[in-house]
Amino acid sequence: MKTYRVVILGCRSRGTAAARVYHAHPRTEVVGLCDLLQDRLDTLGDELNVSARFTDLDEMIRETSPDLVAIPTAPALHAPLALRVLEHGVNIEVEKPMGMDLLETDAVMAKAEEKGVRVAVHHQWRLHGWAQAVGKLFDEGRIGDLRYIFASGKGYYGGFGLMEIGTHLLNSMLRFGGHCQSVTAHATTRGRAITPKDVLPAPRGNGTIAGDHVTATLQFENGVTGTLLQHQFEEMDVHAHVIELYGTEGRLLWHTRGAWFLPNPHAVPTDGLDRWQKLKPLYPDSFEEAAKLIPEGNLTDGDYWFVDEYVRALDEGREHECSGYEGRHVVEIIMGIFESAAYGTRVNLPQANREHPLARWRNEAGLGPLEPMPMPDQEWHIEEKKRLG
Ligand SMILES: NC(=O)c1ccc[n+]([C@@H]2O[C@H](COP(=O)([O-])OP(=O)(O)OC[C@H]3O[C@@H](n4cnc5c(N)ncnc54)[C@H](O)[C@@H]3O)[C@@H](O)[C@H]2O)c1
């Protein structure tokens, strides 16, 4: 069985998490690290005993001949770095969201197709142990026919939450609902409908956004509908995001700390809630042994499942479950939500116009280029409060 050679481009928080998994998985080996900052390279290289350390990504790829390049970098760099890496004709995985608009995601997929390589987007929420437990019952038909999917974010500023967390939630919804055909959405800022002046650069450089509360209705295949809420709360909860499937015979609900099954389509406080059954998370066979290689429980099952799936996909010559095609469709839905909220229309997917709809909306209103906003969350919110008065 082939061991896949992996290099990591970007060695801070997410790069460290990715490198640990590729190091621990029995079918992958970290053969090179790249970062612009030598101390990050050395910290991670020393931890995993990887001596091939580079500050130039092209040199790293030329010298290490990897099968796969992981690109865990800041959002605005996802597509530009993916394009640069794909030029070498190598498979990639890139952090979510896949790009800041559809022009970027289209360019990445076109380059991957030209070079005949695979793209995966690091949407590991679709694959973690609780999601696997839900997927198993779903595939066994335990909730009957799926009718509706509910998902809600962590409480971030709505448009930012859509880019940051909605990308995971939507990708998970696609696992069950299939292709999303159309969206309608409402977005408000301080309780009033958004205007072109509410279009802003997101915190953390996560694209162009609008609205502190975003509510979207999604139409999937086979008559399945869904709702995605990205509403801002004064206090956010990093574990608050939730997804729930409503079937003709039961319901399934999960987040990153648990999953539950209700063997009945209806739940009311008097006789329903106590009937929710807690599920057990599922892990790949090799997970327990691999976790021993990484100290202090620092190997997360979602990331591990993601890598395990990449190994199987490459072995079988097929797309990753969280492929670039799925990642691009997620960005189509996000852009569709912004377009629907801005123009007050239903948006059919895939949309012909691949420009960012909020940028177009602002331009049409004659507002000119966006004023920059701070990248860190706290400073961004101070500026936004000043703007709103
Ligand atoms: N999948 C998840 O659950 C999850 C969770 C949190 C964050 N994220 C995503 O992860 C990303 C942020 O990860 P992070 O906080 O580790 O990022 P970061 O920006 O802090 O670190 C990226 C590293 O990449 C390096 N880098 C940037 N350009 C480079 C280049 N051209 N060559 C070499 N090195 C380069 C930087 O020096 C930096 O050390 C975001 O996209 C975010 O959306 C995903």
Side-chain angles (χ1 to χ4, degrees):
M1 297 284 261
K2 178 174 170 149
T3 299
Y4 291 104
R5 296 168 60 78
V6 182
V7 294
I8 312 290
L9 166 51
C11 297
R12 206 189 68 86
S13 164
R14 291 301 296 157
T16 299
R20 285 173 176 160
V21 179
Y22 284 110
H23 171 73
H25 196 285
R27 296 283 312 284
T28 55
E29 179 189 6
V30 179
V31 297
L33 301 173
C34 179
D35 203 291
L36 301 173
L37 303 175
Q38 191 65 41
D39 61 321
R40 292 184 181 170
L41 268 177
D42 290 339
T43 304
L44 189 55
D46 291 350
E47 178 188 322
L48 301 181
N49 205 13
V50 178
S51 56
R53 303 172 191 178
F54 302 84
T55 50
D56 180 88
L57 73 92
D58 299 300
E59 188 190 342
M60 169 173 73
I61 296 170
R62 277 195 303 271
E63 300 227 341
T64 58
S65 306
D67 298 298
L68 173 56
V69 180
I71 312 177
T73 54
L77 296 175
H78 294 173
L81 288 179
L83 281 170
R84 207 169 135 194
V85 171
L86 285 169
E87 205 52 67
H88 292 266
V90 60
N91 304 303
I92 64 166
E93 66 133 298
V94 64
E95 262 299 347
K96 54 75 193 170
M98 187 182 168
M100 300 298 98
D101 62 31
L102 292 169
L103 298 172
E104 286 196 349
T105 57
D106 288 349
V108 170
M109 293 319 293
K111 184 56 75 180
E113 283 169 7
E114 178 198 321
K115 297 287 180 178
V117 291
R118 310 268 176 206
V119 176
V121 181
H122 208 107
H123 280 131
Q124 82 282 7
W125 285 14
R126 175 162 165 170
L127 297 173
H128 62 59
W130 301 110
Q132 298 285 344
V134 163
K136 183 166 182 291
L137 263 67
F138 179 84
D139 292 342
E140 289 169 2
R142 299 282 290 281
I143 64 164
D145 295 332
L146 180 64
R147 282 188 175 167
Y148 170 76
I149 313 172
F150 172 82
S152 176
K154 291 178 177 182
Y156 284 128
Y157 190 99
F160 171 60
L162 196 51
M163 294 293 284
E164 189 69 24
I165 302 303
T167 180
H168 275 302
L169 296 169
L170 289 166
N171 187 62
S172 298
M173 291 166 98
L174 295 179
R175 152 76 167 89
F176 301 96
H179 193 78
C180 180
Q181 296 169 333
S182 67
V183 301
T184 53
H186 292 275
T188 55
T189 298
R190 291 259 176 99
R192 52 156 181 79
I194 54 167
T195 73
K197 286 187 180 160
D198 297 312
V199 175
L200 305 167
R204 307 183 198 173
N206 211 339
T208 300
I209 60 157
D212 55 19
H213 292 191
V214 177
T215 303
T217 307
L218 313 171
Q219 178 77 52
F220 295 98
E221 288 166 11
N222 304 319
V224 175
T225 55
T227 306
L228 173 63
L229 300 186
Q230 292 289 167
H231 287 198
Q232 184 182 24
F233 283 85
E234 209 45 55
E235 290 203 5
M236 59 160 281
D237 177 344
V238 291
H239 296 293
H241 55 278
V242 67
I243 308 182
E244 186 169 353
L245 306 178
Y246 291 66
T248 50
E249 290 166 35
R251 283 155 61 173
L252 283 159
L253 178 154
W254 73 104
H255 48 60
T256 49
R257 285 177 303 179
W260 293 264
F261 169 52
L262 181 74
N264 179 316
H266 311 290
V268 291
T270 48
D271 75 348
L273 294 182
D274 57 335
R275 294 174 61 196
W276 281 97
Q277 300 167 10
K278 182 143 195 205
L279 305 180
K280 287 200 166 68
L282 301 176
Y283 303 115
D285 293 341
S286 57
F287 182 65
E288 204 180 312
E289 277 305 303
K292 291 180 189 160
L293 297 174
I294 302 297
E296 294 162 22
N298 273 327
L299 196 69
T300 62
D301 62 289
D303 291 332
Y304 197 84
W305 268 112
F306 182 89
V307 166
D308 199 67
E309 163 65 5
Y310 219 155
V311 167
R312 280 178 281 123
L314 292 173
D315 282 353
E316 294 163 23
R318 61 164 172 83
E319 293 295 334
H320 193 290
E321 183 175 337
C322 303
S323 69
Y325 294 106
E326 290 286 87
R328 173 168 65 182
H329 189 40
V330 165
V331 179
E332 282 173 344
I333 301 170
I334 293 174
M335 294 300 134
I337 291 171
F338 284 135
E339 180 174 348
S340 175
Y343 290 92
T345 52
R346 175 200 292 259
V347 176
N348 292 317
L349 305 179
Q351 50 275 70
N353 188 338
R354 314 297 278 178
E355 264 179 278
H356 198 303
L358 294 178
R360 175 160 44 101
W361 195 42
R362 237 185 94 88
N363 286 342
E364 286 166 3
L367 289 179
L370 284 174
E371 292 292 324
M373 290 274 279
M375 299 267 270
D377 293 24
Q378 213 179 351
E379 290 159 41
W380 188 93
H381 282 288
I382 292 169
E383 281 304 306
E384 175 61 345
K385 279 187 180 149
K386 269 196 228 157
R387 182 183 79 87
L388 293 170

